[in-house]
Amino acid sequence: MILRRALSPQAAWVAEEPDAGIVGFLTLQPLQDYIDHLFVDTDWRFCGVARGLLEVARQGATGALSLDVDTENMGARRAYEALGWQVVASTGSTGKARQMRLVSP
Protein backbone atom coordinates (compact mmCIF):
# COMPACT_ATOMS: atom_id res chain seq x y z
CA MET A 1 0.00 0.00 0.00
CA ILE A 2 2.80 2.47 0.85
CA LEU A 3 4.59 1.72 -2.41
CA ARG A 4 1.38 2.21 -4.38
CA ARG A 5 0.85 5.65 -2.80
CA ALA A 6 4.48 6.60 -3.48
CA LEU A 7 4.15 5.66 -7.15
CA SER A 8 0.59 6.86 -7.79
CA PRO A 9 1.47 10.23 -9.39
CA GLN A 10 4.02 8.56 -11.65
CA ALA A 11 3.99 6.59 -14.85
CA ALA A 12 5.83 3.27 -14.70
CA TRP A 13 7.04 0.84 -17.37
CA VAL A 14 8.33 -2.66 -16.80
CA ALA A 15 10.57 -4.68 -19.12
CA GLU A 16 9.82 -8.38 -19.00
CA GLU A 17 11.34 -11.34 -20.81
CA PRO A 18 9.25 -14.54 -21.06
CA ASP A 19 11.91 -16.86 -19.64
CA ALA A 20 13.49 -14.40 -17.19
CA GLY A 21 10.58 -12.39 -15.77
CA ILE A 22 11.01 -8.71 -14.97
CA VAL A 23 14.42 -7.49 -16.11
CA GLY A 24 14.00 -3.73 -15.63
CA PHE A 25 11.70 -0.83 -14.87
CA LEU A 26 11.44 2.94 -15.19
CA THR A 27 9.30 5.45 -13.30
CA LEU A 28 8.54 8.94 -14.59
CA GLN A 29 7.03 12.06 -13.07
CA PRO A 30 4.98 13.05 -16.13
CA LEU A 31 4.41 16.71 -15.31
CA GLN A 32 8.15 17.32 -14.97
CA ASP A 33 9.32 14.72 -17.54
CA TYR A 34 11.66 13.57 -14.76
CA ILE A 35 12.81 9.96 -14.46
CA ASP A 36 12.81 8.96 -10.80
CA HIS A 37 14.06 5.42 -11.22
CA LEU A 38 15.64 3.38 -13.96
CA PHE A 39 16.76 -0.13 -13.09
CA VAL A 40 18.02 -2.97 -15.24
CA ASP A 41 18.97 -6.34 -13.77
CA THR A 42 22.73 -6.91 -13.92
CA ASP A 43 22.35 -9.92 -16.21
CA TRP A 44 20.40 -7.82 -18.72
CA ARG A 45 22.63 -4.74 -18.92
CA PHE A 46 24.06 -3.93 -22.36
CA CYS A 47 21.12 -5.72 -24.01
CA GLY A 48 19.09 -2.62 -24.91
CA VAL A 49 16.64 -2.81 -21.99
CA ALA A 50 17.42 0.67 -20.65
CA ARG A 51 17.40 2.14 -24.16
CA GLY A 52 13.96 0.62 -24.77
CA LEU A 53 12.56 1.90 -21.48
CA LEU A 54 13.92 5.38 -22.16
CA GLU A 55 12.40 5.40 -25.66
CA VAL A 56 8.98 4.44 -24.33
CA ALA A 57 9.21 7.17 -21.66
CA ARG A 58 10.30 9.70 -24.29
CA GLN A 59 7.22 8.93 -26.39
CA GLY A 60 4.98 9.93 -23.49
CA ALA A 61 6.94 13.04 -22.54
CA THR A 62 5.99 16.57 -23.48
CA GLY A 63 9.59 17.81 -23.51
CA ALA A 64 13.13 16.62 -22.90
CA LEU A 65 13.49 13.99 -20.19
CA SER A 66 15.76 14.58 -17.21
CA LEU A 67 17.23 12.40 -14.47
CA ASP A 68 19.88 12.46 -11.77
CA VAL A 69 22.81 10.06 -11.58
CA ASP A 70 25.52 9.61 -8.96
CA THR A 71 28.73 11.25 -10.17
CA GLU A 72 30.66 8.09 -9.24
CA ASN A 73 28.38 5.80 -11.29
CA MET A 74 30.64 5.83 -14.33
CA GLY A 75 28.84 2.95 -16.06
CA ALA A 76 25.52 4.78 -16.03
CA ARG A 77 27.12 8.08 -16.98
CA ARG A 78 28.85 6.52 -20.01
CA ALA A 79 25.63 4.80 -21.07
CA TYR A 80 23.58 8.01 -20.93
CA GLU A 81 26.27 10.01 -22.73
CA ALA A 82 26.43 7.33 -25.47
CA LEU A 83 22.69 7.87 -25.94
CA GLY A 84 23.22 11.63 -26.33
CA TRP A 85 22.23 12.77 -22.82
CA GLN A 86 24.05 15.88 -21.56
CA VAL A 87 25.02 17.07 -18.10
CA VAL A 88 23.28 20.32 -17.19
CA ALA A 89 24.00 20.60 -13.44
CA SER A 90 25.90 19.04 -10.57
CA THR A 91 24.86 19.00 -6.91
CA GLY A 92 26.30 17.99 -3.56
CA SER A 93 29.49 18.87 -1.78
CA THR A 94 32.50 17.16 -0.29
CA GLY A 95 31.45 14.34 2.02
CA LYS A 96 27.97 14.04 0.51
CA ALA A 97 26.68 12.00 -2.39
CA ARG A 98 27.08 14.07 -5.52
CA GLN A 99 24.51 13.96 -8.28
CA MET A 100 24.53 15.12 -11.86
CA ARG A 101 21.39 16.22 -13.69
CA LEU A 102 21.27 14.94 -17.24
CA VAL A 103 18.85 15.90 -20.01
CA SER A 104 17.86 13.76 -22.98
CA PRO A 105 18.56 14.82 -26.55
Side-chain angles (χ1 to χ4, degrees), residues 63-101:
L65 296 173
S66 65
L67 57 79
D68 293 329
V69 65
D70 290 337
T71 57
E72 295 180 9
N73 189 344
M74 294 305 295
R77 289 175 53 191
R78 280 191 216 106
Y80 292 124
E81 290 169 5
L83 294 172
W85 289 63
Q86 295 187 356
V87 176
V88 293
S90 182
T91 62
S93 60
T94 305
K96 295 183 179 179
R98 295 193 56 187
Q99 298 278 307
M100 298 172 74
R101 174 69 48 100

Side-chain angles (χ1 to χ4, degrees), residues 41-64:
D41 184 271
T42 306
D43 293 339
W44 288 88
R45 292 182 184 164
F46 307 107
C47 295
V49 174
R51 179 189 300 259
L53 288 167
L54 289 167
E55 281 301 317
V56 171
R58 183 174 295 147
Q59 291 172 6
T62 57

